Amino acid sequence: MIYITGDTHADFSRFKNPALRKLKKNDALIICGDFGFIWNGSAEEKKLLEKIGKLRYNVLFVEGSHENYDLLEQYEVSEWCGGKTRLISGRLRQLMRGQVYEIAGKKVFSFGGGQSDDSYDTVEGQNWWAREIPSEEELAEGMKNLENAGNSVDIVVTYEPPSGLHDFLDQKGAGDRNHINTYLHGIFEKITFNGWYFGKLHLNKLIPPKYHAVYDGITAADKIAIKKPAREKRRDEEKEN
């Protein structure tokens, strides 16, 4: 079972949601960016990370545009469930950019990172890091890993939305379209998937049939059973022929 939520911003109360009582050892809660618990390196913060890591289910997150990348990158990179991760504590891990995983019986593509909309009021290395923007190597690795997976996954988890959804949800707080949105739209056009989840817009909204802006709500991702639209059916038929 996989549940998905949006930005936690170091708020532990999210883990007290009654819905999470259903999750067991091999299940997972995935956070779509701005995890926020790796920010200042304090003793209190480290205790919280240990506490999260001791939960009975896996807690997994992609990074957003408000993370301390200096601290995050101190954790070693290792392989887990078919993709690269950073093990933070116990069952707590970062899902790295452009990776494909097998989690709770589902194939999951992750791509964290995003562009801050408030960078005019930030200081590099204090409350903003340029590494929030994915590198060209990470963009290329994401495409390669998807190709290796046959351009088909069950779940897509990102911080930014693809540009088509960004424009559809054009609202206060969406910010200007950036090259990450464009890159993700290219993926959107290329792959088949059952559900796409993104956290940047601080919005709980289903965009039918299978796109989810997530924030403080919790969604059971693997209960989705959606018929492929005609465009995807034709693509599959062309592959078979």
Side-chain angles (χ1 to χ4, degrees), residues 184-203:
L184 293 175
H185 191 77
I187 288 175
F188 159 80
E189 290 286 343
K190 187 176 183 180
I191 70 172
T192 60
F193 58 93
N194 288 335
W196 188 311
Y197 301 80
F198 56 93
K200 183 178 182 180
L201 302 186
H202 286 194
L203 181 69

Side-chain angles (χ1 to χ4, degrees), residues 36-42 45 66-68 71 126-129:
F37 288 91
I38 302 174
W39 186 253
N40 57 30
S42 66
E45 184 174 86
H66 294 86
E67 314 284 4
N68 185 327
L71 291 179
Q126 293 185 18
N127 59 358
W128 176 78
W129 283 262

Side-chain angles (χ1 to χ4, degrees), residues 32-211:
C32 293
D34 285 354
F35 177 60
F37 288 91
I38 302 174
W39 186 253
N40 57 30
S42 66
E44 180 181 1
E45 184 174 86
K46 291 177 181 177
K47 288 181 180 179
L48 275 175
L49 292 173
E50 290 178 1
K51 187 175 182 179
I52 296 170
K54 290 178 180 178
L55 293 171
R56 65 180 177 276
Y57 50 88
N58 295 298
V59 178
L60 313 169
F61 67 93
V62 298
E63 70 276 23
S65 60
H66 294 86
E67 314 284 4
N68 185 327
Y69 285 87
D70 290 337
L71 291 179
L72 184 58
E73 291 171 2
Q74 290 179 13
Y75 293 92
E76 290 186 9
V77 176
S78 59
E79 186 167 317
W80 177 79
C81 290
K84 292 187 292 187
T85 71
R86 286 190 174 96
L87 174 60
I88 308 301
S89 174
R91 292 182 169 276
L92 172 61
R93 294 176 180 270
Q94 175 199 1
L95 300 182
M96 297 182 69
R97 296 170 183 169
Q99 304 299 301
V100 176
Y101 306 91
E102 290 284 345
I103 301 172
K106 299 295 181 181
K107 193 177 293 185
V108 179
F109 175 72
S110 67
F111 206 96
Q115 184 169 306
S116 297
D117 298 320
D118 55 358
S119 57
Y120 63 88
D121 192 30
T122 55
V123 178
E124 171 74 30
Q126 293 185 18
N127 59 358
W128 176 78
W129 283 262
R131 299 192 298 287
E132 69 178 29
I133 304 295
S135 67
E136 291 299 319
E137 291 77 13
E138 289 169 329
L139 299 178
E141 184 174 4
M143 286 293 192
K144 180 180 178 181
N145 287 336
L146 283 170
E147 288 177 3
N148 291 339
N151 286 321
S152 179
V153 296
D154 296 300
I155 299 169
V156 178
V157 179
T158 64
Y159 177 63
E160 293 273 5
S163 58
L165 291 180
H166 178 282
D167 296 346
F168 175 75
L169 293 169
D170 188 17
Q171 60 170 19
K172 184 178 180 181
D176 296 331
R177 185 198 288 194
N178 57 59
H179 79 284
I180 310 168
N181 304 131
T182 303
Y183 168 80
L184 293 175
H185 191 77
I187 288 175
F188 159 80
E189 290 286 343
K190 187 176 183 180
I191 70 172
T192 60
F193 58 93
N194 288 335
W196 188 311
Y197 301 80
F198 56 93
K200 183 178 182 180
L201 302 186
H202 286 194
L203 181 69
N204 297 306
K205 186 177 181 64
L206 166 66
I207 303 95
K210 54 185 179 180
Y211 314 102

